[in-house]
Amino acid sequence: MFALDRPPYEQFIPWLVNFLRGDWGVSLAFWPRPVIELVATHMVYSLAILVPSLIVSWLVGNYLGAYIAFKGGKADKLGLASLQWLALTPAYWLIIVLTFIFGFWLGWLPLTGRPYYVVPSLSLDFIVIQLKHWILPFTTITLIGIGGWSIGMRAYVIYQLNSNYARYSKALGLPDRVVARYAFRNAIIPQFTAFAINFGGLFAGNLLVEATFGYPGMGALLASLIGRLDIFAMQALFTFTATMLIIANFIADALYGFIDPRIRRGIMEAVTR
């Protein structure tokens, strides 16, 4: 069935053909469930928490980083120190703090990321219960993401404010808000690329957060597969994740022509030659 008695290339080529057809094999750890069924089941949970987390942290982080860069002075120093502390905070430490405060001490939120006592369904009761379990993992991932996005955006904005066009605009007497708007538009472009790369990585889940909270996402699935040495499922999962990263980068490069007018102008000039 697994063709383990054949050379590696004779094993890989048929497997790759089957992978492209949607046949990812059977999981050894969850025998006899198909791997693609496991991935589809857990991916819904991962995307439900990681997509909103990425969008919120990207939006808040970019605007927060741009704000402290424009303000400068004490606001920039205090903001940078706080954001660096937030970005470098270990996820497991933040999980412990948030769980202790909002789970043990205040008792506002459940300690796990999954309601084991409820059968999954599309009912309103299940959605409300799942959202309560969803808050702590979402908050952990979002806070750390805000710190990283803010630091990157701050650096890009400062670079744009020190560029020649910004200095020339200030010398001409343009209002600071106009210069800031142009600086922000140019600084946000590299963040789109980083967003695409991070979006492609969402399909791998967040192993530490999901495994800690018992959240049934792709990260928890990967941890289970590694612990049970399910090499067939891991191979399919890694191939799928790498494929999504490549696709996300391709989409980001394609969108650059719409986002950056300089690239769009260069493409038009190359086409008309």
Side-chain angles (χ1 to χ4, degrees):
M1 179 179 180
F2 298 109
L4 298 178
D5 57 334
R6 299 177 184 176
Y9 69 90
E10 291 187 9
Q11 298 178 37
F12 178 73
I13 294 176
W15 177 88
L16 183 60
V17 173
N18 291 331
F19 178 86
L20 296 175
R21 293 168 52 190
D23 181 6
W24 295 5
V26 179
S27 171
L28 299 178
F30 298 92
W31 184 275
R33 293 187 64 185
V35 175
I36 193 169
E37 179 183 321
L38 285 173
V39 171
T41 302
H42 289 78
M43 188 185 302
V44 172
Y45 284 94
S46 279
L47 295 182
I49 191 172
L50 295 178
V51 170
S53 173
L54 177 61
I55 294 174
V56 171
S57 62
W58 190 82
L59 291 174
V60 175
N62 282 326
Y63 280 97
L64 188 59
Y67 176 80
I68 64 173
F70 293 142
K71 283 295 183 179
K74 292 184 178 179
D76 182 36
K77 293 180 181 179
L78 292 175
L80 178 60
S82 302
L83 293 172
Q84 284 180 332
W85 176 83
L86 187 61
L88 297 176
T89 298
Y92 60 84
W93 182 85
L94 188 58
I95 290 172
I96 294 173
V97 172
L98 294 177
T99 302
F100 176 78
I101 294 176
F102 298 102
F104 282 107
W105 187 20
L106 299 176
W108 292 351
L109 299 171
L111 302 179
T112 62
R114 179 181 183 180
Y116 292 95
Y117 52 88
V118 179
V119 178
S121 65
L122 295 178
S123 64
L124 181 60
D125 292 338
F126 174 77
I127 294 174
V128 172
I129 294 173
Q130 181 63 58
L131 285 176
K132 291 181 180 179
H133 288 259
W134 177 85
I135 292 176
L136 280 180
F138 169 81
T139 304
T140 302
I141 300 171
T142 302
L143 287 177
I144 296 176
I146 288 174
W149 290 115
S150 300
I151 294 174
M153 189 60 181
R154 172 189 173 274
Y156 290 133
V157 169
I158 291 176
Y159 175 80
Q160 293 295 330
L161 291 176
N162 291 327
S163 61
N164 292 332
Y165 80 87
R167 294 176 181 272
Y168 183 70
S169 300
K170 292 180 181 179
L172 291 177
L174 287 178
D176 289 340
R177 59 181 179 83
V178 176
V179 178
R181 185 168 68 248
Y182 281 104
F184 181 84
R185 291 175 59 183
N186 288 322
I188 198 69
I189 293 175
Q191 297 289 72
F192 277 104
T193 303
F195 180 88
I197 295 174
N198 279 268
F199 187 83
L202 295 184
F203 294 91
N206 191 308
L207 193 151
L208 178 61
V209 175
E210 292 178 4
T212 304
F213 282 106
Y215 189 81
M218 293 289 287
L221 174 62
L222 179 59
S224 179
L225 297 177
I226 293 175
R228 302 182 185 185
L229 300 178
D230 191 346
I231 59 174
F232 302 107
M234 285 189 289
Q235 182 179 3
L237 188 59
F238 293 149
T239 304
F240 173 72
T241 304
T243 303
M244 296 310 300
L245 282 171
I246 294 173
I247 294 175
N249 278 273
F250 176 79
I251 294 175
D253 290 339
L255 291 177
Y256 251 79
F258 298 96
I259 299 172
D260 192 340
R262 296 168 297 182
I263 297 178
R264 184 166 61 249
R265 189 181 304 113
I267 293 175
M268 294 302 296
E269 291 177 356
V271 171
T272 54
R273 286 180 183 176

